[in-house]
Amino acid sequence: MADIKTFYLPDLGEGLPDATVVEWHVKEGDTIKLDAPLVSMETAKAVVDVPSPYSGTVKKLHGAAGDIIETGAALADFEIDPNARQRAEAESTGHHHGPKKGVGSPAADDASKVVASDDGGEIDPPKADREDEGTVVGAMVSGNAVHTEQVSSAGGVKAVPAVRAAAKKLKVDLSRVQPTGAGGVITMQDVKNAAANGSAIAGAAPAARPAAAQHLAPTLPEPGPAPQRTAVSLAGKPVRTAPPGAETMGQPEQLKGVRRNMARVMAEAHANVVPTTIVDDADLHAWIGKQDITARLIRAIVAACKAVPALNAWFDGKNLTRTLHPHVDIGIAVDTDDGLFVPALRNADVLDGAGIRAAIKRLRTSVEDRSIPASELSGYTISLSNFGMFAGRYATPVVVPPTVAIIGAGKLSHDVVAVMGGIEVHRRMPLSLTFDHRAATGGEAARFLKAMIDDLGLPQ
């Protein structure tokens, strides 16, 4: 009798409850060797290549590109080849299924790979009955079924976020790619083929598109005793006289990958943190010459962390314990089309201006092409949101546990300020500091903000 093994989706990093299928590297009926690429899965952190846990024949694939599979649910069935090399029960797999210790850290033998967990061996099949695990809004039954959901249709192109990231990296214009996936979905292979043959180079002249069908204006309503709204405006253009239909309104789209995790993290932070925000302005009038604003901002945070260590800390709300950190690792919020990433700027307390700029550039590049390792997306001691590079003066940024504080830097402005003997126009930076009031006092937060303002007010 054939030996059939089911492979269950392992935890691909930091206890994430699910992952999205990006691309299968095999199809049902294919033979595969141990540790050969099986499937690419998108998590909230990155796109992870999951290797095969067995040598044998692929009997069934549980899900297609764009499907969300829960951690611990069936991923693929294999018919084991008794004559091929198989992994010993006690041998490390590289896609373990144990506790969270070390999850999401780089693999010991290859820093480009993500450690899924730490125990090794096969995961126990999920129990037949599972309670609702809780979702951001309402309740969703948790089980072994694959949840088939719509891919993103941004820009009129159907593709999962990982495929969009690959297209951006390969400089492929998705609007020019011929989709081969079900329902007109562009697959990872479509992007690779377009990059290879140069048929969809980003920036090239757009391909001609068929003209959209012309919709005739509805006829005018029959005259009646009461005034009625007509289907044309005074300018003679068609107007709606009823609520928009489903096509006009668009269809609900399930959050996936980074945005899905962002929703969970924000909901958890909202439920578990006692946030308080204070705001003030740093006066930059004394600055000499042109200076790197981001480097100065980070230098000011480091100075404030040294002056008031209580905000450069982690807080455990369950056990009411606080960990003060002697080093400063700053989580830098990076906004992308796929959602919010927060990579860690390590050792900010020992970097000079050039080192800070180089490190931020490297982090931003690795976020944009989705090559950033999971280890660089966690473990920061305090956070920074430099939203002012877009717009906004003050904010109430969200503190994400276990950190205690986050600084928001608003848009620089030229303000009229009172000085001895009159008024002057000074360039100023709005600052917002949100902190967990369980872990720090208002006085500590105020002194922290003052330390930042004092450092930013220095000439250089």
Side-chain angles (χ1 to χ4, degrees), residues 192-318:
K192 292 178 181 178
N193 292 341
N197 59 36
S199 62
I201 300 174
R209 292 178 176 269
Q214 299 296 320
H215 296 280
L216 297 178
T219 58
L220 295 176
E222 292 294 332
Q228 296 187 19
R229 184 179 180 184
T230 64
V232 286
S233 68
L234 294 177
K237 296 182 179 180
V239 296
R240 282 191 295 105
T241 59
E247 292 185 1
T248 306
M249 292 290 287
Q251 297 295 328
E253 181 178 326
Q254 186 67 47
L255 297 182
K256 298 179 182 179
V258 180
R259 287 189 181 276
R260 190 179 184 90
N261 186 65
M262 180 180 68
R264 294 193 185 102
V265 170
M266 294 298 104
E268 180 182 359
H270 180 73
N272 294 307
V273 173
V274 182
T276 302
T277 301
I278 60 174
V279 300
D280 207 336
D281 296 286
D283 196 315
L284 315 182
H285 189 63
W287 282 16
I288 299 175
K290 185 177 180 180
Q291 298 192 37
D292 189 320
I293 295 175
T294 302
R296 286 296 304 266
L297 185 58
I298 290 175
R299 191 186 82 176
I301 293 175
V302 170
C305 287
K306 293 179 179 178
V308 188
L311 275 72
N312 184 46
W314 289 346
F315 181 70
D316 184 343
K318 292 182 179 179

Side-chain angles (χ1 to χ4, degrees), residues 418-452:
V419 297
M420 290 295 293
I423 59 173
E424 293 179 353
V425 176
H426 290 191
R427 185 166 63 154
R428 302 203 300 174
M429 178 188 293
L431 297 174
S432 303
L433 170 61
T434 298
F435 63 100
D436 189 338
H437 215 326
R438 299 172 302 170
T441 68
E444 288 170 329
R447 289 191 293 272
F448 184 97
L449 190 57
K450 183 179 185 303
M452 281 193 65

Side-chain angles (χ1 to χ4, degrees), residues 7 19 33 38 51-52 62 83-84 106 125 142 218 229 238 270 277-278 284 290 295 327 346 386 401 421:
F7 177 47
K33 297 295 185 182
L38 175 66
S52 173
H62 295 271
N83 300 318
S142 175
R229 184 179 180 184
H270 180 73
T277 301
I278 60 174
L284 315 182
K290 185 177 180 180
H327 59 280
R346 306 290 184 196
N386 192 8

Side-chain angles (χ1 to χ4, degrees), residues 23-58:
E23 178 186 19
W24 287 102
H25 301 299
V26 295
K27 60 182 181 296
E28 293 179 358
D30 285 356
T31 58
I32 190 170
K33 297 295 185 182
L34 177 70
D35 290 331
L38 175 66
V39 62
S40 295
M41 304 291 294
E42 182 184 27
T43 71
K45 303 297 184 183
V47 176
V48 180
D49 285 329
V50 179
S52 173
Y54 307 109
S55 293
T57 303
V58 179

Side-chain angles (χ1 to χ4, degrees), residues 18-366:
D18 52 46
T20 302
V21 177
V22 174
E23 178 186 19
W24 287 102
H25 301 299
V26 295
K27 60 182 181 296
E28 293 179 358
D30 285 356
T31 58
I32 190 170
K33 297 295 185 182
L34 177 70
D35 290 331
L38 175 66
V39 62
S40 295
M41 304 291 294
E42 182 184 27
T43 71
K45 303 297 184 183
V47 176
V48 180
D49 285 329
V50 179
S52 173
Y54 307 109
S55 293
T57 303
V58 179
K59 303 299 292 183
K60 184 176 181 180
L61 303 178
H62 295 271
D67 290 347
I68 293 177
I69 298 183
E70 295 179 359
T71 300
L75 186 60
D77 295 341
F78 298 85
E79 180 179 335
I80 303 303
D81 183 352
N83 300 318
R85 183 176 74 87
Q86 304 291 343
R87 180 173 288 107
E89 288 296 324
E91 185 180 350
S92 174
T93 66
H95 46 264
H96 311 299
H97 314 267
K100 294 182 182 178
K101 179 186 67 175
V103 171
S105 59
D109 56 341
D110 187 350
S112 66
K113 296 181 179 179
V114 175
V115 174
S117 63
D118 300 86
D119 283 0
E122 296 176 16
I123 191 170
D124 293 330
K127 298 178 181 179
D129 298 322
R130 298 172 65 186
E131 297 181 358
D132 169 50
E133 295 177 352
T135 55
V136 175
V137 178
M140 180 174 73
V141 176
S142 175
N144 299 333
V146 175
H147 299 276
T148 303
E149 305 176 56
Q150 293 182 344
V151 297
S152 169
S153 300
V157 175
K158 296 182 180 180
V160 297
V163 171
R164 294 181 183 277
K168 184 175 182 180
K169 183 177 182 180
L170 297 173
K171 294 181 172 56
V172 169
D173 183 355
L174 286 177
S175 65
R176 298 166 62 88
V177 175
Q178 184 66 34
T180 62
V185 175
I186 296 176
T187 67
M188 188 69 77
Q189 191 58 49
D190 294 337
V191 171
K192 292 178 181 178
N193 292 341
N197 59 36
S199 62
I201 300 174
R209 292 178 176 269
Q214 299 296 320
H215 296 280
L216 297 178
T219 58
L220 295 176
E222 292 294 332
Q228 296 187 19
R229 184 179 180 184
T230 64
V232 286
S233 68
L234 294 177
K237 296 182 179 180
V239 296
R240 282 191 295 105
T241 59
E247 292 185 1
T248 306
M249 292 290 287
Q251 297 295 328
E253 181 178 326
Q254 186 67 47
L255 297 182
K256 298 179 182 179
V258 180
R259 287 189 181 276
R260 190 179 184 90
N261 186 65
M262 180 180 68
R264 294 193 185 102
V265 170
M266 294 298 104
E268 180 182 359
H270 180 73
N272 294 307
V273 173
V274 182
T276 302
T277 301
I278 60 174
V279 300
D280 207 336
D281 296 286
D283 196 315
L284 315 182
H285 189 63
W287 282 16
I288 299 175
K290 185 177 180 180
Q291 298 192 37
D292 189 320
I293 295 175
T294 302
R296 286 296 304 266
L297 185 58
I298 290 175
R299 191 186 82 176
I301 293 175
V302 170
C305 287
K306 293 179 179 178
V308 188
L311 275 72
N312 184 46
W314 289 346
F315 181 70
D316 184 343
K318 292 182 179 179
N319 298 311
L320 296 181
T321 59
R322 184 178 68 167
T323 303
L324 303 182
H325 299 289
H327 59 280
V328 182
D329 289 353
I330 303 177
I332 309 290
V334 177
D335 180 61
T336 73
D337 292 339
D338 294 333
L340 182 67
F341 287 80
V342 186
L345 175 63
R346 306 290 184 196
N347 306 306
D349 49 320
V350 298
L351 294 176
D352 60 10
I356 289 172
R357 175 54 58 191
I360 290 178
K361 182 178 180 181
R362 177 184 61 81
L363 290 173
R364 185 174 295 277
T365 299
S366 59

